[in-house]
Amino acid sequence: MMKKFSKVLLGLGVVLASTTLLTACGNSNSSSSSNGKTTVTIWADDPNFNVPIMKTAVKMYNAEHKSSGVTFKVQTQGDYNTKVQTVLSAGNKKNYPNIIKIEDYGSKKLISSYQDAFLTQDNINLSNFSKYKKSVVTYKGKTYGMPFDSGVSALFYRKDIFAKYGVTAKDLNNITWDQFMKLAEKVHKGSGKSILGTGALVGEDPDLVRQMLQSAGAWYFDDSGKLNVDSPAFKQSLKTVKSLKDKGLVTGYSDFNARNKALYNGNNLAVIEGSWFSASIKADKKSSGKWGVATVPRFSNVKGATNSTNEGGSSWYVLNTGNTKADNAAKKFLKTMFDGNSKYYAKVLKEQAAVTTYKPAMSNKEWSTKDTFYNQKVNEYFKQNLNKIPAVSYGIHSSEVENILSGNLNNYYSGKTSLDATIKKIQSSYKSQVGSN
């Protein structure tokens, strides 16, 4: 799962994957081998998603490997990303966990910065996973990450209100952005409500830009890693967001919770997000039956543009703790559960709505089960679009680019600067900060 609002601090909590609660993380060895027992420590960032997912993996693994002599600890910590960055930069292997979860957008940055801290996982059969994941988990020809979930995107929309103004599910699927805006204007004018909502002020978090770019098989960089913000896809992404804003079709909120509130009370009628956002939609139980899922609009004037894209997703990585026995046990655990156990994926799809990128699990019946909240086979939609997501390389400086975008996009969206001037500013700021363009 990708919580693009992972900047929001998670409360400090440490959960032991078996039955007990750890009271502290401490600075003691994260992995150990004593009395014939080996401890494998796993860090995950979401107590409502990745932690229970890992607890399920541990429970199933232990049931099948009763004499393994391995004990697992699954932990989550406040400000997860900062904690990972801190422990890696300190470089003290004794404080490393054995396994960490990294959002796909940030994996290359961490691996390239701390390559010696990561162990390769060459036993992974990458052909078992969605094609786009290969570029995420590999670095310089070596496999470092175990692919996990996808943030395959969708248009979540209030089908009851859209239908009231003559817009049906058939109208919304596999259409262009121009077509979508015409339909959205119809609903907007009739209802007086905003259509798309973003979980940050428009211009501060380029989540829509990210999804538009990848839908066209593009990113902030070209295949060589060079900044590529003057590409047709990037220019069209900015133009499209500006058009949405000018027409009053998109509203940015101060944070994730503020947007959810607007979605729940009907002030915002749609959102384009990764599959993981379904859990937030379904948290408002009183709106059951009122929401639908459709494809993300595509560009009509950018070569290779599709109706499939991605917002988030994550993978699992093994750190070099210096304890060979524990490190190898960590690799074996990941290989066994995440690259070889379709029953596990069926369970977490059903219980946590985890959309896997593991292709052998695509035959599980859970994919074709109708979701009573949407009265729609939502998982089937995700499955169909998962392998259509264009593969792109997120590079190692996406975070730097997005920080620059946050300081410049609003000037363009508000009409203070032209598109060409905005792009030149992004290029010069990037060259100043990163040292190349």
Side-chain angles (χ1 to χ4, degrees):
M1 177 185 188
M2 190 272 186
K3 290 281 192 183
K4 69 178 165 47
F5 302 98
S6 57
K7 298 173 185 176
V8 178
L9 304 188
L10 297 172
L12 179 62
V14 185
V15 184
L16 187 60
S18 52
T19 56
T20 60
L21 185 69
L22 288 174
T23 58
C25 301
N27 290 318
S28 58
N29 293 357
S30 59
S31 58
S32 60
S33 300
S34 60
N35 299 322
K37 295 286 185 179
T38 299
T39 299
V40 171
T41 301
I42 304 167
W43 283 7
D45 70 336
D46 189 336
N48 297 312
F49 188 76
N50 287 311
V51 169
I53 278 170
M54 263 303 182
K55 289 177 70 174
T56 297
V58 167
K59 184 176 180 179
M60 291 180 70
Y61 184 85
N62 285 340
E64 297 171 5
H65 300 80
K66 294 180 179 179
S67 59
S68 69
V70 180
T71 299
F72 295 90
K73 297 177 182 178
V74 181
Q75 303 175 345
T76 184
Q77 317 203 11
D79 197 359
Y80 177 86
N81 290 338
T82 299
K83 180 69 176 180
V84 169
Q85 181 75 38
T86 299
V87 76
L88 289 175
S89 61
N92 187 345
K93 293 182 178 181
K94 292 183 178 180
N95 291 335
Y96 288 175
N98 299 97
I99 298 171
I100 60 174
K101 190 232 75 169
I102 303 177
E103 293 174 358
D104 290 343
Y105 294 134
S107 60
K108 286 284 201 302
K109 177 73 171 180
L110 284 176
I111 296 170
S112 64
S113 299
Y114 308 104
Q115 191 172 357
D116 291 343
F118 290 85
L119 293 175
T120 58
Q121 298 185 67
D122 296 321
N123 59 342
I124 299 172
N125 182 359
L126 290 179
S127 66
N128 280 338
F129 297 88
S130 298
K131 184 178 179 181
Y132 85 95
K133 276 285 191 175
K134 181 177 180 179
S135 64
V136 172
V137 300
T138 57
Y139 180 70
K140 292 186 176 180
K142 295 181 179 180
T143 301
Y144 285 90
M146 173 66 73
F148 178 45
D149 68 329
S150 169
V152 53
S153 298
L155 170 69
F156 298 89
Y157 69 101
R158 280 290 298 269
K159 63 182 180 182
D160 58 332
I161 299 177
F162 272 61
K164 182 178 180 180
Y165 298 99
V167 180
T168 67
K170 184 178 180 180
D171 296 326
L172 290 169
N173 275 300
N174 300 309
I175 62 174
T176 67
W177 275 105
D178 292 335
Q179 292 171 318
F180 172 78
M181 281 190 268
K182 287 180 181 178
L183 296 172
E185 282 186 287
K186 188 177 179 181
V187 178
H188 173 57
K189 289 176 180 178
S191 66
K193 304 296 184 181
S194 180
I195 304 302
L196 293 176
T198 61
L201 300 179
V202 178
E204 290 188 1
D205 187 350
D207 61 336
L208 280 176
V209 174
R210 277 196 294 261
Q211 292 175 89
M212 290 174 183
L213 276 174
Q214 188 156 3
S215 74
W219 197 245
Y220 305 129
F221 314 100
D222 61 20
D223 291 340
S224 68
K226 184 178 180 180
L227 187 68
N228 193 30
V229 293
D230 58 353
S231 68
F234 186 80
K235 289 180 178 179
Q236 190 58 45
S237 296
L238 268 56
K239 288 179 182 179
T240 302
V241 175
K242 186 179 189 305
S243 185
L244 288 165
K245 187 174 184 295
D246 290 345
K247 295 175 186 294
L249 301 178
V250 62
T251 298
Y253 294 90
S254 58
D255 57 34
F256 188 77
N257 291 328
R259 178 178 62 172
N260 282 357
K261 184 177 179 180
L263 292 170
Y264 298 159
N265 64 27
N267 285 330
N268 237 111
L269 305 181
V271 65
I272 292 177
E273 286 291 4
S275 53
W276 47 267
F277 192 74
S278 181
S280 293
I281 295 288
K282 294 170 73 172
D284 182 35
K285 299 186 184 304
K286 71 180 186 300
S287 66
S288 178
K290 298 179 180 180
W291 284 90
V293 171
T295 57
V296 177
R298 70 180 184 276
F299 294 136
S300 59
N301 57 351
V302 177
K303 185 178 180 180
T306 72
N307 291 102
S308 298
T309 189
N310 183 75
E311 172 68 351
S314 60
S315 303
W316 299 100
Y317 295 80
V318 177
L319 296 184
N320 180 11
T321 67
N323 184 327
T324 302
K325 191 172 183 179
D327 293 343
N328 287 338
K331 288 185 179 183
K332 181 179 179 181
F333 164 72
L334 288 180
K335 173 67 177 177
T336 302
M337 298 309 301
F338 291 86
D339 187 18
N341 196 320
S342 291
K343 290 182 179 179
Y344 164 68
Y345 283 113
K347 189 172 181 63
V348 296
L349 175 63
K350 181 179 179 179
E351 296 181 357
Q352 277 82 38
V355 176
T356 177
T357 56
Y358 182 65
K359 291 189 290 187
M362 296 301 176
S363 60
N364 290 338
K365 68 180 187 302
E366 285 76 10
W367 289 102
S368 58
T369 302
K370 180 178 285 188
D371 190 315
T372 57
F373 182 91
Y374 299 98
N375 195 30
Q376 184 178 348
K377 293 182 179 181
V378 175
N379 288 335
E380 187 171 80
Y381 162 83
F382 292 138
K383 176 184 175 180
Q384 290 172 350
N385 281 272
L386 179 62
N387 291 313
K388 297 178 183 179
I389 298 172
V392 300
S393 175
Y394 296 133
I396 63 174
H397 294 300
S398 287
S399 60
E400 287 88 344
V401 172
E402 294 196 342
N403 285 335
I404 293 168
L405 295 185
S406 296
N408 288 279
L409 291 188
N410 192 53
N411 287 333
Y412 169 64
Y413 295 151
S414 63
K416 292 181 180 179
T417 59
S418 67
L419 179 59
D420 287 343
T422 300
I423 289 175
K424 287 180 181 178
K425 178 64 175 177
I426 294 169
Q427 290 171 328
S428 63
S429 296
Y430 182 83
K431 185 173 183 179
S432 172
Q433 293 184 26
V434 180
S436 65
N437 60 4

